């Protein structure tokens, strides 16, 4: 199925590049797809230029941009500076999103249950098996938790969401790092797998005494009970747009080459610890330079006028300081 | 007939040789067209096998035969460690349990419909069974996820777990905790999905039993059970087994419904109430974001399913042949 999808996507992309020089083509991550299509719609109305974005997954998006079949690629996992160097590409973060732990427990309200990364790691390792475990009770002395077994829900497909989640667990739980590590698909020690964010959300809302992780938007849409988290500074934070932005603002974009920043477990009192950016990949010296410039124009426009649209869809716009830095990178690196 | 008269008209009433050669040409064309159709099946099959082997080659070279008995599935490890034991186990166990449930029930329905059912009820039950076959598998998956899974986890599973708690072997097979997504739930959905295949084919072949045989058996004082056991089933054995094999083939390869409700876990715990995975479910859930060795490993899983199905069908043929030999003596 996916083969066919990729081939069709490649075919469409190829056809559209030759037919309309002004149309911008891109492919990659599924997570920012709703945002990019909303932006594209508004952009088309304003300028008459269209955007053709194929949400075929981060991995496939990277393959397409390396093969130069699209003008830009999109990935939820940043590429390492060496790999960018090798293929002559640059990357920058275009928007951010956050993950929340979600539970299905009788009598627990959203934001009541507090977790640490270490605790989540132990639950996902299968070390903590019941909800009345002393480790959970210690963090939540006021809550009455049942003695039932915890059903761990995680993704069964490879995904950028899983990368952000497992990266957070690896940073906060040494045993998780040693046993499972981080990646778009890992060797899960326990739990049931569900396909896509919607699959995890569905499983958690369906299964009593379960725990899972989803993009914030899915928790909100499905009215799931999300948990609060203890961040790197030791403070308990609730998942709010403000906390997500605090994490992004605290991130050291200036000091990291090629914006290779993974936003999990950032410092700062107000930072939400499981935040991630979605990245855009482009060639420095593209074959079709006109198309390349058109794409840059679009992303510039999105940074300037797309913030409100992003917030409406529960994405987090990039802070202005980072946007300025990205614009500098464009003028320095992209050849016109 | 129209063609024939056209040819005759065109050739004229007296040009016999020309008319005959036109017939010959038609026949030859027909022969080659049908032959090409038949050969194309072989070509497509061969092409699929070759492309699977080519795609799976990096994984075959990396893991060799140990792929078959390694349980660990860690595509993110460096280098990736991939073993197919979990999916193979899941595929065989779910299909086995599904057949265990579907064969007696399916044949039972067929016997009731052909031998015992009052005339007026035959059509409604028959149509209901056929409708069961027409439901798309994703619907079964959703129903299993939203309705059957919670029902089993809240009622049937705790009962079985308590019943067999402490009993050796059975205690392990029915070990808790109850789960909304499990091998057993997937097996039950599979059983419902393959039921119509067994029933529909059995009904068709049971109808081919000559009434005189059954009447003779009833005439010498056989009970209905004896007529079914010693006349109907032996007479239709080949057809019934054919239906069962068709059902088994579907159970082995069913993807969407199983992916929904099996839990997609690569571990083997021995309990049928724990989550597991099957070959097709593993491919469906991981292929989209896979690359390199991981993708090759998934293609190798596909190749294994191909062989597994082939072996099962071959065994069925062999069994059938032996049964026929025995019957012939």
């Amino acid at each position: 199925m996916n083969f066919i999808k990729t081939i069709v996507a490649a075919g469409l992309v190829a056809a559209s590049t030759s037919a309309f020089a002004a149309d911008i083509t891109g492919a990659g991550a599924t997570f920012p797809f709703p945002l990019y299509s909303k932006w594209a719609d508004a952009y088309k109305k304003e300028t008459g230029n269209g955007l053709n974005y194929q949400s075929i997954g981060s991995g496939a998006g990277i393959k397409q941009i390396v093969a130069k079949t699209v003008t830009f690629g999109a990935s939820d996992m940043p590429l390492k500076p060496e790999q960018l160097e090798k293929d002559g590409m640059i990357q920058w973060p275009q928007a951010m999103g956050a993950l929340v732990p979600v539970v299905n427990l009788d009598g627990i309200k959203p934001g009541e249950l507090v977790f640490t990364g270490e605790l989540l790691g132990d639950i996902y390792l299968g070390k903590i098996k019941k909800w009345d475990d002393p480790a959970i009770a210690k963090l939540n002395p006021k809550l009455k938790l049942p003695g039932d077994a915890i059903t761990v829900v995680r993704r069964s497909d490879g995904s950028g969401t899983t990368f952000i989640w497992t990266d957070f667990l690896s940073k906060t739980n040494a045993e998780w790092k040693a046993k499972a590590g981080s990646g778009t698909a890992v060797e899960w020690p326990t739990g049931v797998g569900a396909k896509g964010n919607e699959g995890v959300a569905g499983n958690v809302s369906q299964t009593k005494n379960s725990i899972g992780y989803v993009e914030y938007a899915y928790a909100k849409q499905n009215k799931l009970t999300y948990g609060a988290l203890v961040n790197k500074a030791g403070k308990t934070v609730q998942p709010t747009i403000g906390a997500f932005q605090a994490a992004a603002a605290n991130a050291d974009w200036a000091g990291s080459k090629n914006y290779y920043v993974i936003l999990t477990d950032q410092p700062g009192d107000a930072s939400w610890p499981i935040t991630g950016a979605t990245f855009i990949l482009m060639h420095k010296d593209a074959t079709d330079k006109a198309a390349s410039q058109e794409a840059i124009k679009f992303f510039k426009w999105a940074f300037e006028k797309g913030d409100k649209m992003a917030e409406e869809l529960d994405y987090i716009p990039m802070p202005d300081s980072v946007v300025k830095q990205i614009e500098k990178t464009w003028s320095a690196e992209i050849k016109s | 007939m129209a063609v024939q008269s056209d040819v005759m008209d065109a050739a004229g009433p007296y040009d016999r040789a020309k008319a005959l050669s036109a017939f010959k040409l038609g026949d030859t064309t027909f022969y080659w067209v049908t032959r090409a159709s038949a050969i194309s099946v072989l070509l497509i099959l061969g092409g699929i096998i070759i492309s699977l082997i080519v795609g799976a080659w990096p994984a075959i070279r990396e893991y060799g035969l140990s792929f078959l008995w390694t349980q660990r599935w860690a595509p993110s490890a460096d280098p990736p460690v991939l073993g197919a034991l979990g999916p193979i186990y899941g595929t065989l166990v779910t299909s086995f349990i599904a057949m265990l449930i579907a064969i007696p029930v399916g044949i039972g329905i067929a016997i009731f419909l052909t031998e015992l059912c009052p005339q007026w009820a035959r059509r409604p039950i028959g149509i209901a069974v056929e409708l069961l076959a027409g439901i798309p598998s994703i619907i079964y998956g959703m129903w299993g996820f939203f309705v059957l899974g919670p029902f089993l986890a809240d009622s049937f599973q705790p009962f079985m777990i308590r019943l067999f708690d402490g009993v050796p072997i059975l205690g392990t097979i029915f070990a808790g905790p109850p789960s909304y997504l499990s091998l057993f739930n997937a097996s039950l959905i599979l059983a419902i999905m393959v039921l119509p295949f067994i029933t529909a084919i059995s009904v068709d072949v049971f109808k081919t039993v000559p009434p005189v045989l059954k009447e003779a058996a009833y005439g010498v004082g056989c009970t209905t059970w004896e007529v079914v056991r010693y006349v109907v089933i032996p007479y239709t054995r080949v057809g019934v087994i054919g239906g069962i094999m068709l059902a088994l083939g579907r159970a082995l390869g069913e993807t969407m419904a199983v992916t929904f409700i099996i839990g997609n876990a690569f571990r083997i715990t021995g309990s049928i109430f724990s989550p597991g995975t099957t070959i097709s479910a593993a491919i469906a859930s991981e292929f989209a974001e896979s690359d390199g060795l991981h993708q090759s490993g998934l293609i190798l899983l596909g190749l294994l399913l191909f062989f597994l199905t082939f072996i099962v069908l071959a065994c069925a043929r062999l069994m059938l042949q032996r049964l026929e030999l025995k019957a012939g003596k």
Side-chain angles (χ1 to χ4, degrees), chain B:
Chain B
M1 283 315 264
V3 173
Q4 200 173 340
S5 63
D6 283 353
V7 172
M8 293 299 275
D9 290 347
Y14 303 111
D15 201 345
R16 192 178 158 81
K18 208 170 172 185
L20 279 177
S21 78
F23 287 147
K24 200 177 163 200
L25 183 71
D27 256 8
T28 321
T29 320
F30 185 63
Y31 170 75
W32 280 106
V33 167
T34 49
R35 190 180 205 188
S37 310
I39 289 172
S40 70
V41 173
L42 290 179
L43 284 180
I44 291 166
L45 193 68
I48 291 172
I49 294 176
I50 290 169
S51 58
L52 278 177
I53 291 174
V54 169
W57 190 247
I60 296 173
R61 226 177 31 196
E62 179 76 23
Y63 305 112
L65 278 177
S66 71
F67 188 73
L68 294 175
W69 54 78
T70 308
Q71 196 194 324
R72 192 165 170 225
W73 182 269
S76 59
D78 191 30
V81 181
L82 302 175
L85 194 62
I88 294 175
Y89 167 84
T91 307
L92 294 177
V93 166
T94 49
S95 295
F96 178 74
I97 300 173
M99 299 317 283
L100 214 58
I101 301 167
I103 293 174
V105 177
I107 294 180
I109 297 172
I111 292 170
F112 179 74
L113 280 179
T114 50
E115 304 296 324
L116 302 165
C117 185
Q119 255 330 310
W120 60 267
R122 279 186 192 184
R123 272 184 70 84
I125 297 177
I127 289 172
V129 170
E130 273 164 32
L131 277 180
L132 221 51
I135 298 173
S137 66
I138 188 81
I139 306 290
Y140 279 106
M142 283 161 67
W143 180 71
F145 180 74
F146 287 113
V147 182
L148 188 69
F151 168 73
L152 288 173
D154 294 339
S155 55
F156 180 72
Q157 292 186 6
F159 168 73
M160 293 301 275
I161 292 164
R162 253 179 284 129
L163 189 66
F164 291 107
D165 190 23
V167 182
I169 303 173
L170 284 176
T172 316
I173 294 176
F174 298 105
S179 171
Y180 286 57
L181 308 167
S182 72
L183 287 169
F184 177 74
N185 294 7
S187 307
L188 202 57
I189 287 284
L190 279 179
I192 299 169
M193 288 177 78
V194 301
L195 197 67
F197 289 83
I198 297 176
T199 301
I201 291 176
S202 300
V203 166
D204 284 348
V205 293
F206 286 172
K207 280 185 189 154
T208 64
V209 179
V212 63
L213 283 184
K214 285 193 275 182
E215 281 155 17
Y218 282 121
V220 294
C222 286
T223 59
T224 312
W225 158 248
E226 283 166 335
V227 171
V228 170
R229 172 68 187 83
Y230 298 106
V231 178
V232 176
I233 302 255
Y235 189 86
T236 56
R237 197 178 44 224
V238 176
V240 171
I241 292 180
I244 291 172
M245 284 305 134
L246 201 67
L248 182 57
R250 172 138 197 221
L252 286 170
E254 175 49 43
T255 310
M256 225 37 241
V258 172
T259 312
F260 248 66
I261 49 178
I262 200 162
N264 300 303
F266 284 80
R267 292 176 311 281
I268 299 174
T269 60
S271 165
I272 57 170
F273 294 150
S274 64
T277 189
T278 67
I279 292 178
S280 49
I283 298 173
S285 51
E286 295 200 357
F287 200 80
E289 284 274 330
S290 65
D291 53 9
L293 210 53
H294 182 196
Q295 193 164 63
S296 177
L298 289 171
I299 297 172
L300 183 52
L301 273 184
L303 191 64
L304 279 179
L305 183 61
F306 204 97
F307 281 122
L308 205 63
T309 317
F310 181 77
I311 289 168
V312 166
L313 290 178
C315 285
R317 287 263 150 167
L318 212 69
M319 211 165 72
L320 223 57
Q321 266 174 6
R322 288 185 56 185
L323 274 175
E324 267 161 20
L325 275 180
K326 230 165 85 187
K329 269 177 198 163

Side-chain angles (χ1 to χ4, degrees), chain A:
Chain A
M1 218 12 228
N2 198 64
F3 256 148
I4 297 167
K5 246 173 136 183
T6 315
I7 291 163
V8 170
L12 285 175
V13 163
S16 54
T17 20
S18 53
F20 315 99
D23 254 16
I24 307 153
T25 59
T30 48
F31 150 59
F33 176 62
L35 177 61
Y36 292 172
S37 40
K38 188 165 188 171
W39 277 346
D41 219 34
Y43 188 65
K44 175 120 191 165
K45 268 181 207 142
E46 220 177 285
T47 64
N49 288 332
L51 171 81
N52 180 1
Y53 182 73
Q54 306 288 334
S55 61
I56 51 178
S58 300
I62 294 170
K63 268 181 221 156
Q64 297 243 341
I65 184 67
V66 169
K68 298 192 177 184
T69 46
V70 287
T71 312
F72 72 92
S75 168
D76 294 338
M77 188 161 89
L79 292 186
K80 292 244 164 67
E82 309 88 76
Q83 197 184 342
L84 289 169
E85 200 61 46
K86 199 187 89 203
D87 292 311
M89 295 194 297
I90 61 162
Q91 73 181 1
W92 69 87
Q94 185 66 32
M96 289 172 291
L99 303 191
V100 289
V102 287
V103 297
N104 181 343
L105 282 169
D106 285 337
I108 304 288
K109 290 190 199 70
E112 273 188 347
L113 200 57
V114 180
F115 295 102
T116 59
E118 174 126 41
L119 177 60
L120 288 172
D122 283 349
I123 292 174
Y124 270 76
L125 277 168
K127 273 169 72 189
I128 293 178
K129 291 187 163 64
K130 301 214 153 145
W131 281 110
D132 59 357
D133 193 280
I136 305 177
K138 209 176 127 197
L139 274 165
N140 301 283
K142 283 183 196 152
L143 296 179
K144 210 174 155 294
L145 293 162
D148 295 304
I150 303 174
T151 302
V152 170
V153 184
R154 37 84 180 173
R155 290 285 285 270
S156 62
D157 47 339
S159 102
T161 312
T162 296
F163 167 73
I164 296 166
W165 177 256
T166 53
D167 185 73
F168 171 65
L169 295 186
S170 295
K171 278 179 180 160
T172 49
N173 188 312
E175 193 178 341
W176 178 271
K177 191 176 183 179
K179 282 199 177 148
S182 70
T184 53
V186 300
E187 190 188 2
W188 299 98
T190 185
V192 296
K195 206 164 155 50
N197 269 299
E198 61 281 11
V200 173
N203 263 297
V204 171
S205 63
Q206 184 73 11
T207 313
K208 279 221 176 81
N209 305 315
S210 62
I211 183 168
Y213 59 92
V214 289
E215 306 272 4
Y216 176 63
Y218 287 89
K220 209 171 139 181
Q221 279 162 13
N222 292 290
K223 299 197 171 55
L224 295 173
T225 309
Y226 52 80
L229 283 170
V230 176
N231 64 16
K232 200 175 183 178
K235 298 274 188 302
T236 303
V237 281
Q238 293 288 336
T240 56
I241 288 268
F244 306 156
Q245 271 167 341
N250 282 319
D252 181 20
W253 294 104
S256 38
K257 204 179 172 205
N258 301 111
Y259 303 98
Y260 186 83
V261 172
I262 294 163
L263 281 173
T264 54
D265 206 26
Q266 290 298 320
D269 280 0
S271 296
W272 179 254
I274 327 179
T275 310
T278 182
F279 293 84
I280 299 287
L281 301 164
M282 274 180 73
H283 283 283
K284 285 182 198 167
D285 193 8
T287 349
D288 186 351
K289 295 208 171 47
S292 212
Q293 287 306 314
E294 283 301 319
I296 294 286
K297 261 189 223 159
F298 169 74
F299 290 122
K300 195 176 159 69
W301 174 89
F303 277 140
E304 277 164 15
K305 301 193 178 168
D307 286 4
K308 213 170 144 265
M309 281 178 257
E311 275 167 3
E312 276 166 20
L313 291 170
D314 297 305
Y315 295 90
I316 309 137
M318 297 305 297
D320 290 343
S321 59
V322 183
V323 170
K324 281 208 186 78
Q325 207 182 328
I326 293 168
E327 284 174 347
K328 258 184 228 153
T329 311
W330 286 343
S331 46
E333 299 269 12
I334 301 256
K335 288 185 189 148
S336 55

